[in-house]
Amino acid sequence: MQSTYTIGSRTFVLDKAKAEAALAAKRVVGGRETLSFNLLPLRYGWAYELYRTMKANHWEPEDVQMAKDIEQWRDDRALSEIDRWIVRMGVGYFSAAEGIVGDNVIHVVRELVTASELKLVLGRHAHEENIHADSLLYMIASLGIDPHECEAMFDDVPSIVAKNRFVTDVSHALRRDLDMTDPEAVRLLARNIFVFGQCMEGTQFYGLFGMILSLYRQGKLPGIGTMFRYTLRDESNHIELFRRLLSELAAENPGIWTPAFKDELRELMREAVALEQRFIEDCLPVEGVGLSAEDFTQYVDYIADRRLASAGLDPLHHVALENPLPWLAELMDVRKETNFFEGRVTEYQKASSLALVADEEL
Ligand code: FE
Ligand code: MN
């Protein structure tokens, strides 16, 4: 089918069949190679919807008040030694981890996928990791934590080193020219997407999320708690994005989704859980925040099984686990609350519409 436009003496013939062929050629990997960014026609409508959801959740660290946190940080009676250690481990681990995730999104996953709507949402994902990394900088600077100490944690705390190595090995395995028509290469990418989405962001982030939110629940460090809650809301979209990517990739390449590969993914989750549980013991070497390391290690077992099930894989435990920290589910659901940025959003909108008027007047 063709559309013909005759404007004055010129005639333009647009071939719709070409657009249809382009749509039919869209794939997670191995689709039509193009440098153009034509989003329409959309093949992965969910990716575009997710992009819109993520964009609507935009937040800026500097909008969060840190005055109360600073006051508590300076007051020996306001926080215990273990409260402070959890915060140090939190900023130490996450300031490394956010960057690792963002880097993998940009240099591995976004490089290898071929459909523009997938590149779009992955670009937003990477940007959110930048916001998270920036929020940690803001926390470190506000509290006056020594950034060198924070940096040294990546090298000197063995449980952080081990967690980081687990994911960076998976990422580096793909940083070379790969022939994506080779099922082995597709499987490497699937492993990467599973490890980053379900094992790291989906499971290994949740030990500390739980501890920081536990402090928040006790009225401790409300600014940090608020930033972590906004981060968590973003992470839930990242986990969903990578879950969908994996399922599309497997559906388009059914040859990779073998029982042996599924077992391999489960074993990777088992390793991720063990690494996380070791890390939790380092975060909570003595009881603190009214909770023990055991509560959080059980929580990680619970979360890991949920992630596996959501990826169509068998859980690690034969019995359905219960959430040992039910209050966390409530705190993690930020959507229920009125958005404290609302006033701010209106201002942004006002500012941008004013800018438009100004442009038109020029
Ligand atoms: Fe993040
Ligand atoms: Mn993330």
PDB file of all heavy atoms in Angstrom, residues 136-157:
ATOM      1  N   LEU A 136      22.977   9.385  46.541  1.00  0.00           N
ATOM      2  CA  LEU A 136      23.952   8.906  47.529  1.00  0.00           C
ATOM      3  C   LEU A 136      25.023   9.954  47.786  1.00  0.00           C
ATOM      4  O   LEU A 136      25.435  10.174  48.923  1.00  0.00           O
ATOM      5  CB  LEU A 136      24.564   7.581  47.061  1.00  0.00           C
ATOM      6  CG  LEU A 136      23.526   6.466  47.166  1.00  0.00           C
ATOM      7  CD1 LEU A 136      23.800   5.354  46.201  1.00  0.00           C
ATOM      8  CD2 LEU A 136      23.440   5.949  48.592  1.00  0.00           C
ATOM      9  N   LEU A 137      25.425  10.613  46.726  1.00  0.00           N
ATOM     10  CA  LEU A 137      26.387  11.713  46.872  1.00  0.00           C
ATOM     11  C   LEU A 137      25.799  12.779  47.818  1.00  0.00           C
ATOM     12  O   LEU A 137      26.483  13.269  48.721  1.00  0.00           O
ATOM     13  CB  LEU A 137      26.666  12.299  45.490  1.00  0.00           C
ATOM     14  CG  LEU A 137      27.632  13.482  45.353  1.00  0.00           C
ATOM     15  CD1 LEU A 137      28.238  13.459  43.955  1.00  0.00           C
ATOM     16  CD2 LEU A 137      26.967  14.827  45.583  1.00  0.00           C
ATOM     17  N   TYR A 138      24.529  13.064  47.614  1.00  0.00           N
ATOM     18  CA  TYR A 138      23.827  14.062  48.432  1.00  0.00           C
ATOM     19  C   TYR A 138      23.763  13.622  49.901  1.00  0.00           C
ATOM     20  O   TYR A 138      23.973  14.416  50.822  1.00  0.00           O
ATOM     21  CB  TYR A 138      22.439  14.271  47.824  1.00  0.00           C
ATOM     22  CG  TYR A 138      21.533  15.256  48.511  1.00  0.00           C
ATOM     23  CD1 TYR A 138      21.918  16.580  48.722  1.00  0.00           C
ATOM     24  CD2 TYR A 138      20.255  14.867  48.922  1.00  0.00           C
ATOM     25  CE1 TYR A 138      21.048  17.484  49.337  1.00  0.00           C
ATOM     26  CE2 TYR A 138      19.386  15.756  49.523  1.00  0.00           C
ATOM     27  CZ  TYR A 138      19.784  17.072  49.733  1.00  0.00           C
ATOM     28  OH  TYR A 138      18.925  17.950  50.326  1.00  0.00           O
ATOM     29  N   MET A 139      23.509  12.343  50.133  1.00  0.00           N
ATOM     30  CA  MET A 139      23.468  11.837  51.516  1.00  0.00           C
ATOM     31  C   MET A 139      24.849  11.921  52.158  1.00  0.00           C
ATOM     32  O   MET A 139      24.999  12.375  53.296  1.00  0.00           O
ATOM     33  CB  MET A 139      23.038  10.356  51.536  1.00  0.00           C
ATOM     34  CG  MET A 139      21.615  10.094  51.108  1.00  0.00           C
ATOM     35  SD  MET A 139      21.319   8.284  51.043  1.00  0.00           S
ATOM     36  CE  MET A 139      20.057   8.215  49.764  1.00  0.00           C
ATOM     37  N   ILE A 140      25.873  11.476  51.408  1.00  0.00           N
ATOM     38  CA  ILE A 140      27.248  11.464  51.930  1.00  0.00           C
ATOM     39  C   ILE A 140      27.686  12.888  52.266  1.00  0.00           C
ATOM     40  O   ILE A 140      28.225  13.163  53.347  1.00  0.00           O
ATOM     41  CB  ILE A 140      28.202  10.821  50.882  1.00  0.00           C
ATOM     42  CG1 ILE A 140      27.909   9.330  50.733  1.00  0.00           C
ATOM     43  CG2 ILE A 140      29.668  11.044  51.261  1.00  0.00           C
ATOM     44  CD1 ILE A 140      28.554   8.672  49.518  1.00  0.00           C
ATOM     45  N   ALA A 141      27.395  13.819  51.341  1.00  0.00           N
ATOM     46  CA  ALA A 141      27.808  15.206  51.545  1.00  0.00           C
ATOM     47  C   ALA A 141      27.037  15.837  52.702  1.00  0.00           C
ATOM     48  O   ALA A 141      27.599  16.556  53.521  1.00  0.00           O
ATOM     49  CB  ALA A 141      27.605  15.997  50.252  1.00  0.00           C
ATOM     50  N   SER A 142      25.729  15.555  52.778  1.00  0.00           N
ATOM     51  CA  SER A 142      24.915  16.157  53.838  1.00  0.00           C
ATOM     52  C   SER A 142      25.379  15.703  55.218  1.00  0.00           C
ATOM     53  O   SER A 142      25.475  16.497  56.140  1.00  0.00           O
ATOM     54  CB  SER A 142      23.434  15.783  53.687  1.00  0.00           C
ATOM     55  OG  SER A 142      22.953  16.176  52.438  1.00  0.00           O
ATOM     56  N   LEU A 143      25.640  14.416  55.362  1.00  0.00           N
ATOM     57  CA  LEU A 143      26.005  13.899  56.682  1.00  0.00           C
ATOM     58  C   LEU A 143      27.479  14.138  56.992  1.00  0.00           C
ATOM     59  O   LEU A 143      27.916  13.980  58.121  1.00  0.00           O
ATOM     60  CB  LEU A 143      25.694  12.403  56.781  1.00  0.00           C
ATOM     61  CG  LEU A 143      24.219  12.000  56.633  1.00  0.00           C
ATOM     62  CD1 LEU A 143      24.063  10.505  56.838  1.00  0.00           C
ATOM     63  CD2 LEU A 143      23.314  12.753  57.603  1.00  0.00           C
ATOM     64  N   GLY A 144      28.259  14.474  55.969  1.00  0.00           N
ATOM     65  CA  GLY A 144      29.688  14.672  56.184  1.00  0.00           C
ATOM     66  C   GLY A 144      30.441  13.364  56.334  1.00  0.00           C
ATOM     67  O   GLY A 144      31.461  13.297  57.016  1.00  0.00           O
ATOM     68  N   ILE A 145      29.938  12.302  55.681  1.00  0.00           N
ATOM     69  CA  ILE A 145      30.657  11.016  55.683  1.00  0.00           C
ATOM     70  C   ILE A 145      31.882  11.181  54.786  1.00  0.00           C
ATOM     71  O   ILE A 145      31.801  11.790  53.709  1.00  0.00           O
ATOM     72  CB  ILE A 145      29.731   9.891  55.153  1.00  0.00           C
ATOM     73  CG1 ILE A 145      28.601   9.643  56.158  1.00  0.00           C
ATOM     74  CG2 ILE A 145      30.521   8.613  54.878  1.00  0.00           C
ATOM     75  CD1 ILE A 145      27.559   8.636  55.691  1.00  0.00           C
ATOM     76  N   ASP A 146      33.007  10.636  55.230  1.00  0.00           N
ATOM     77  CA  ASP A 146      34.237  10.748  54.448  1.00  0.00           C
ATOM     78  C   ASP A 146      34.095   9.930  53.149  1.00  0.00           C
ATOM     79  O   ASP A 146      33.955   8.708  53.199  1.00  0.00           O
ATOM     80  CB  ASP A 146      35.399  10.216  55.302  1.00  0.00           C
ATOM     81  CG  ASP A 146      36.738  10.300  54.578  1.00  0.00           C
ATOM     82  OD1 ASP A 146      36.739  10.609  53.364  1.00  0.00           O
ATOM     83  OD2 ASP A 146      37.761  10.041  55.234  1.00  0.00           O
ATOM     84  N   PRO A 147      34.139  10.595  51.991  1.00  0.00           N
ATOM     85  CA  PRO A 147      33.964   9.853  50.740  1.00  0.00           C
ATOM     86  C   PRO A 147      35.065   8.826  50.484  1.00  0.00           C
ATOM     87  O   PRO A 147      34.847   7.823  49.812  1.00  0.00           O
ATOM     88  CB  PRO A 147      33.960  10.937  49.656  1.00  0.00           C
ATOM     89  CG  PRO A 147      34.482  12.168  50.287  1.00  0.00           C
ATOM     90  CD  PRO A 147      34.287  12.045  51.763  1.00  0.00           C
ATOM     91  N   HIS A 148      36.254   9.053  51.033  1.00  0.00           N
ATOM     92  CA  HIS A 148      37.340   8.079  50.846  1.00  0.00           C
ATOM     93  C   HIS A 148      37.021   6.776  51.564  1.00  0.00           C
ATOM     94  O   HIS A 148      37.308   5.698  51.072  1.00  0.00           O
ATOM     95  CB  HIS A 148      38.667   8.650  51.359  1.00  0.00           C
ATOM     96  CG  HIS A 148      39.079   9.888  50.642  1.00  0.00           C
ATOM     97  ND1 HIS A 148      39.421   9.882  49.313  1.00  0.00           N
ATOM     98  CD2 HIS A 148      39.171  11.164  51.039  1.00  0.00           C
ATOM     99  CE1 HIS A 148      39.718  11.116  48.930  1.00  0.00           C
ATOM    100  NE2 HIS A 148      39.555  11.915  49.962  1.00  0.00           N
ATOM    101  N   GLU A 149      36.393   6.919  52.736  1.00  0.00           N
ATOM    102  CA  GLU A 149      36.000   5.727  53.491  1.00  0.00           C
ATOM    103  C   GLU A 149      34.964   4.944  52.719  1.00  0.00           C
ATOM    104  O   GLU A 149      34.957   3.718  52.676  1.00  0.00           O
ATOM    105  CB  GLU A 149      35.353   6.170  54.810  1.00  0.00           C
ATOM    106  CG  GLU A 149      36.215   5.905  56.001  1.00  0.00           C
ATOM    107  CD  GLU A 149      35.518   6.331  57.276  1.00  0.00           C
ATOM    108  OE1 GLU A 149      34.295   6.124  57.428  1.00  0.00           O
ATOM    109  OE2 GLU A 149      36.219   6.906  58.130  1.00  0.00           O
ATOM    110  N   CYS A 150      34.069   5.713  52.096  1.00  0.00           N
ATOM    111  CA  CYS A 150      32.991   5.121  51.337  1.00  0.00           C
ATOM    112  C   CYS A 150      33.568   4.349  50.146  1.00  0.00           C
ATOM    113  O   CYS A 150      33.207   3.199  49.884  1.00  0.00           O
ATOM    114  CB  CYS A 150      32.125   6.288  50.867  1.00  0.00           C
ATOM    115  SG  CYS A 150      30.514   5.835  50.457  1.00  0.00           S
ATOM    116  N   GLU A 151      34.497   4.957  49.463  1.00  0.00           N
ATOM    117  CA  GLU A 151      35.160   4.337  48.315  1.00  0.00           C
ATOM    118  C   GLU A 151      35.924   3.081  48.750  1.00  0.00           C
ATOM    119  O   GLU A 151      35.890   2.045  48.089  1.00  0.00           O
ATOM    120  CB  GLU A 151      36.105   5.369  47.671  1.00  0.00           C
ATOM    121  CG  GLU A 151      37.111   4.842  46.667  1.00  0.00           C
ATOM    122  CD  GLU A 151      36.499   4.387  45.344  1.00  0.00           C
ATOM    123  OE1 GLU A 151      35.403   4.865  44.992  1.00  0.00           O
ATOM    124  OE2 GLU A 151      37.120   3.524  44.684  1.00  0.00           O
ATOM    125  N   ALA A 152      36.577   3.192  49.922  1.00  0.00           N
ATOM    126  CA  ALA A 152      37.396   2.073  50.400  1.00  0.00           C
ATOM    127  C   ALA A 152      36.558   0.835  50.708  1.00  0.00           C
ATOM    128  O   ALA A 152      37.059  -0.286  50.689  1.00  0.00           O
ATOM    129  CB  ALA A 152      38.180   2.505  51.637  1.00  0.00           C
ATOM    130  N   MET A 153      35.261   1.056  50.968  1.00  0.00           N
ATOM    131  CA  MET A 153      34.398  -0.091  51.271  1.00  0.00           C
ATOM    132  C   MET A 153      34.329  -1.094  50.121  1.00  0.00           C
ATOM    133  O   MET A 153      34.166  -2.279  50.333  1.00  0.00           O
ATOM    134  CB  MET A 153      32.986   0.394  51.563  1.00  0.00           C
ATOM    135  CG  MET A 153      32.858   0.922  52.976  1.00  0.00           C
ATOM    136  SD  MET A 153      31.120   1.097  53.389  1.00  0.00           S
ATOM    137  CE  MET A 153      31.199   0.684  55.120  1.00  0.00           C
ATOM    138  N   PHE A 154      34.449  -0.588  48.867  1.00  0.00           N
ATOM    139  CA  PHE A 154      34.370  -1.507  47.723  1.00  0.00           C
ATOM    140  C   PHE A 154      35.541  -2.479  47.724  1.00  0.00           C
ATOM    141  O   PHE A 154      35.471  -3.551  47.156  1.00  0.00           O
ATOM    142  CB  PHE A 154      34.412  -0.782  46.359  1.00  0.00           C
ATOM    143  CG  PHE A 154      33.571   0.440  46.244  1.00  0.00           C
ATOM    144  CD1 PHE A 154      33.905   1.418  45.312  1.00  0.00           C
ATOM    145  CD2 PHE A 154      32.442   0.634  47.020  1.00  0.00           C
ATOM    146  CE1 PHE A 154      33.143   2.560  45.176  1.00  0.00           C
ATOM    147  CE2 PHE A 154      31.679   1.778  46.888  1.00  0.00           C
ATOM    148  CZ  PHE A 154      32.030   2.735  45.973  1.00  0.00           C
ATOM    149  N   ASP A 155      36.671  -2.046  48.307  1.00  0.00           N
ATOM    150  CA  ASP A 155      37.857  -2.890  48.294  1.00  0.00           C
ATOM    151  C   ASP A 155      38.040  -3.646  49.601  1.00  0.00           C
ATOM    152  O   ASP A 155      38.627  -4.710  49.623  1.00  0.00           O
ATOM    153  CB  ASP A 155      39.123  -2.018  48.087  1.00  0.00           C
ATOM    154  CG  ASP A 155      39.104  -1.317  46.743  1.00  0.00           C
ATOM    155  OD1 ASP A 155      38.661  -1.949  45.766  1.00  0.00           O
ATOM    156  OD2 ASP A 155      39.522  -0.138  46.690  1.00  0.00           O
ATOM    157  N   ASP A 156      37.546  -3.061  50.687  1.00  0.00           N
ATOM    158  CA  ASP A 156      37.935  -3.579  51.995  1.00  0.00           C
ATOM    159  C   ASP A 156      36.868  -4.400  52.712  1.00  0.00           C
ATOM    160  O   ASP A 156      37.177  -5.047  53.708  1.00  0.00           O
ATOM    161  CB  ASP A 156      38.375  -2.421  52.904  1.00  0.00           C
ATOM    162  CG  ASP A 156      39.608  -1.714  52.347  1.00  0.00           C
ATOM    163  OD1 ASP A 156      40.328  -2.363  51.552  1.00  0.00           O
ATOM    164  OD2 ASP A 156      39.839  -0.541  52.675  1.00  0.00           O
ATOM    165  N   VAL A 157      35.626  -4.338  52.250  1.00  0.00           N
ATOM    166  CA  VAL A 157      34.608  -5.166  52.902  1.00  0.00           C
ATOM    167  C   VAL A 157      34.360  -6.385  52.002  1.00  0.00           C
ATOM    168  O   VAL A 157      33.785  -6.256  50.922  1.00  0.00           O
ATOM    169  CB  VAL A 157      33.295  -4.379  53.147  1.00  0.00           C
ATOM    170  CG1 VAL A 157      32.244  -5.275  53.803  1.00  0.00           C
ATOM    171  CG2 VAL A 157      33.558  -3.137  54.005  1.00  0.00           C
TER     172      VAL A 157
END
